[in-house]
Amino acid sequence: MPMPSFSASTPPAGRRRPALTAVTAVAVATLLAAAGCSGSDSGSGSGDQGGQNSRNDQDGQNRADKSAAPKDLTTQKLDWKACPTPSAAEGGGTAPSPLPGGTKWECATMTAPLDYAKPEGATIPLALIRAETSDPGKRIGSLVFNFGGPGGSGVTGLPSFGKDYEKLRTRYDLVSFDPRGVGRSEPVECKDDKQLDGYYARDMTPDDSAEEKSYVDGLKWYAGGCERKSGKELPFVGTVNAARDMELMRQVLGDDKLNYFGISYGTELGGVYAHLYPKSVGRTVFDAVVDPTESSEQGSLGQAKGFQLAFTNFAKDCVSRGDACTLPGSTPQEIQNFVVGLLDRLDKKPINGFGGRQLTETQATNGIAQALYSKEYWPLLEQGLDEADGGSGALLLVLSDAMNGRNEKGQYSNIQAANAAVNCVDSKQRYTLAQTKAKLAEFRQVSPLFGDFLGWGLLGCSEWPVPGEWDKPDVSAPGAAPILVIGNTGDPATPYEGARAMVKALGKGVGVELTYEGQGHGAYNSGSTCVQNAVNGYLLDGKVPKNGTVCK
């Protein structure tokens, strides 16, 4: 899928952005503690392993069967215990607090084949978390969540959203996991914290040949670090293997079907799973949907349009408040011109941030994009832009840090390293400098604010040490149970059109489309009673909404 390349890691263009679960400064920690995705996602294109998008369902099923895990893994018993303090790669912090009513979170480790082509060979540990159902007598089974990325930790993500899913816990054990290469599941590592501070501040929109060379050299340096530290696992962290891990998880959890709630990149992962294992699909919801039909370039352009639309909506809201809006300009265009000018100034001369760090153009762009993931963050965006205009870049830097997984101690989670690793092993696209420069005009045309940034992101996988697997994912799943696919008309990271494309790609009788006319990334946690009732009705009672349902 495409999620935004709004990460300062090595973003393959047009890729998904992880769901955020924590931020970096005390002043906004509470407000930002549960951001939702992709999504940057860094990235390019998406697709099905091997790039054989014409495979029919039976071929996909046969392939999955050939790479099944051995019996000693499918029958393994999980040792559920109290959850430990999150690791540095998961973002640090404290162990999850009990849910309302006192239910405690439990954690376990599942063992999976590192290489499903050699299922009897080396293994990889996968971290899981669960909260058992509040009503065992009505239990359906497990409901597995993936909150996005790729690169987001489900072990830390599910507890941060836990209260939002209490109704679903009446009939399910809530379960999530750190996918391979993420968090506590053999995390991909590339550089240390101090090195990443410099890397994420670098200029990602070169203006001349010297800056272009510096940008490309930075990609080589970062990718080289990933290869040195995590080279043995890099070929095996892709979406197809993560889908196979979910099938193994289904068996280990003892469920006849996989009941699944995928958000942002989680919809791409769910679509690939449905393609490989259509007969194992249970009650499934996709929210903030990745378009599986887009190429890397199309995905990046779509995100540029999506974030531009979200910014325009933010600017319209600001203008509608008259003098209460602190930004200069009486029209959305004038506010946009102000922000473009601010970014130009930062390109020439960064301003003070906090902790001895400065706010650069790259970090400001990241921060603006982060705030557009939810309408709840619009006041922070307005304040951050106003303060930056006055010479203080602290708030925009905090928002940028949130996207990059940096906490208040200056420690980085591995969200962006994993994001780059999964995207680059998924996607075949490898753009040259000349090809990238030839595309910039089109990107700038669709988004004066984000076009340059996302256009240059096409180079993201150019230096990656592992080849990509596919052009686009195959998510066709004839024979699968209905999958509820929710599109949000104001979603910046996974544009609304992706939901309809996913419904069509899943195949006749599988995808069921629901539209939410709102703002932000995702719909279930938006506060819409209509959306929640539709989702809860399906997951809890098996009531499939009418295709084409619209929630406002």
Side-chain angles (χ1 to χ4, degrees):
M1 111 173 195
M3 281 273 336
S5 295
F6 284 108
S7 58
S9 119
T10 31
R15 208 49 189 178
R16 51 264 183 178
R17 184 36 220 152
L20 274 273
T21 58
V23 299
T24 60
V26 176
V28 293
T30 301
L31 182 57
L32 294 178
C37 298
S38 205
S40 148
D41 316 307
S42 299
S44 36
S46 6
D48 192 8
Q49 187 158 325
Q52 300 177 27
N53 297 316
S54 62
R55 284 198 316 270
N56 62 28
D57 176 68
Q58 188 60 49
D59 290 337
Q61 188 67 49
N62 287 342
R63 179 179 182 184
D65 291 341
K66 290 177 183 177
S67 58
K71 186 174 181 180
D72 64 321
L73 294 185
T74 61
T75 59
Q76 65 185 289
K77 302 299 181 184
L78 298 178
D79 184 15
W80 294 102
K81 297 179 178 178
C83 291
T85 300
S87 67
E90 289 176 305
T94 59
S97 301
L99 284 161
T103 298
K104 295 181 179 180
W105 295 96
E106 299 176 300
C107 289
T109 300
M110 184 184 81
T111 302
L114 175 64
D115 181 358
Y116 277 90
K118 300 175 181 178
E120 303 283 353
T123 60
I124 187 171
L126 302 179
L128 276 64
I129 189 169
R130 77 172 180 185
E132 292 186 291
T133 178
S134 59
D135 191 347
K138 296 183 178 179
R139 182 181 182 274
I140 294 173
S142 306
L143 180 61
V144 177
F145 290 80
N146 181 284
F147 295 98
S153 166
V155 172
T156 59
L158 183 56
S160 71
F161 292 109
K163 294 179 182 179
D164 295 337
Y165 302 113
E166 270 296 278
K167 186 149 188 144
L168 299 177
R169 197 166 68 86
T170 59
R171 302 206 66 190
Y172 293 97
D173 296 340
L174 305 185
V175 177
S176 193
F177 63 108
D178 287 354
R180 52 178 59 215
V182 175
R184 205 180 289 272
S185 299
E186 290 293 310
V188 173
E189 297 178 342
C190 299
K191 296 293 180 180
D192 64 35
D193 294 333
K194 184 165 284 190
Q195 290 172 321
L196 291 176
D197 271 346
Y199 185 66
Y200 291 162
R202 79 196 193 286
D203 190 343
M204 292 182 67
T205 55
D207 298 315
D208 55 39
S209 58
E211 290 185 355
E212 290 170 5
K213 182 178 184 304
S214 177
Y215 180 51
V216 173
D217 287 347
L219 295 175
K220 292 179 181 178
W221 173 81
Y222 185 85
C226 302
E227 184 176 26
R228 285 189 295 274
K229 291 193 172 190
S230 299
K232 290 183 179 180
E233 69 179 288
L234 290 184
F236 307 109
V237 298
T239 297
V240 167
N241 280 333
R244 289 175 173 147
D245 291 339
M246 291 204 301
E247 175 64 1
L248 175 60
M249 192 182 308
R250 177 192 67 78
Q251 297 172 73
V252 171
L253 292 171
D255 293 325
D256 292 333
K257 303 283 187 179
L258 179 75
N259 303 301
Y260 178 73
F261 199 136
I263 302 160
S264 196
Y265 161 75
T267 68
E268 177 176 290
L269 174 59
V272 172
Y273 176 87
H275 171 71
L276 292 175
Y277 307 99
K279 295 178 182 179
S280 294
V281 173
R283 296 177 187 177
T284 296
V285 174
F286 291 171
D287 189 5
V289 184
V290 171
D291 188 336
T293 68
E294 291 185 324
S295 68
S296 167
E297 181 184 336
Q298 290 168 335
S300 290
L301 280 169
Q303 284 189 338
K305 294 175 184 176
F307 276 93
Q308 186 67 41
L309 173 63
F311 181 85
T312 299
N313 290 336
F314 157 77
K316 287 179 179 177
D317 178 77
C318 206
V319 168
S320 72
R321 292 186 287 107
D323 292 342
C325 176
T326 60
L327 302 181
S330 57
T331 67
Q333 182 63 51
E334 289 177 354
I335 290 180
Q336 175 179 289
N337 293 344
F338 154 70
V339 175
V340 169
L342 174 63
L343 293 175
D344 287 343
R345 281 154 42 202
L346 291 171
D347 186 29
K348 298 177 176 66
K349 185 178 180 180
I351 59 176
N352 291 332
F354 64 88
R357 299 163 66 214
Q358 292 188 311
L359 177 74
T360 65
E361 178 196 21
T362 293
Q363 290 162 322
T365 306
N366 253 340
I368 293 167
Q370 173 60 63
L372 292 174
Y373 272 91
S374 171
K375 190 173 181 179
E376 182 183 19
Y377 301 166
W378 286 5
L380 288 178
L381 177 55
E382 181 181 343
Q383 180 183 344
L385 291 170
D386 181 52
E387 290 177 355
D389 188 42
S392 173
L395 184 48
L396 287 183
L397 186 54
V398 166
L399 290 164
S400 179
D401 284 349
M403 182 165 283
N404 289 327
R406 186 185 194 272
N407 65 24
E408 67 274 9
K409 296 179 180 179
Q411 300 168 327
Y412 286 89
S413 74
N414 91 309
I415 192 169
Q416 296 299 352
N419 187 270
V422 176
N423 286 332
C424 290
V425 78
D426 277 357
S427 178
K428 280 184 175 181
Q429 282 77 40
R430 298 294 187 263
Y431 286 84
T432 66
L433 179 62
Q435 288 171 330
T436 299
K437 292 172 70 173
K439 301 291 184 182
L440 292 177
E442 185 176 3
F443 275 82
R444 290 165 180 156
Q445 182 177 4
V446 301
S447 177
L449 278 177
F450 306 109
D452 226 28
F453 192 92
L454 287 166
W456 279 106
L458 291 172
L459 269 177
C461 286
S462 61
E463 304 297 332
W464 201 250
V466 177
E469 297 286 351
W470 60 29
D471 295 309
K472 304 172 186 177
D474 193 340
V475 299
S476 59
I483 296 175
L484 180 57
V485 180
I486 309 170
N488 181 350
T489 58
D491 197 317
T494 50
Y496 167 69
E497 292 78 10
R500 185 156 296 173
M502 176 67 81
V503 167
K504 185 176 181 180
L506 287 168
K508 187 176 181 180
V510 179
V512 178
E513 185 178 8
L514 185 150
T515 295
Y516 169 56
E517 295 182 351
Q519 301 297 326
H521 188 45
Y524 185 82
N525 293 336
S526 67
S528 168
T529 301
C530 174
V531 172
Q532 291 179 351
N533 287 344
V535 171
N536 294 346
Y538 180 40
L539 291 178
L540 298 176
D541 303 316
K543 297 177 181 177
V544 181
K546 182 180 178 181
N547 188 46
T549 296
V550 177
C551 291
K552 299 183 179 183

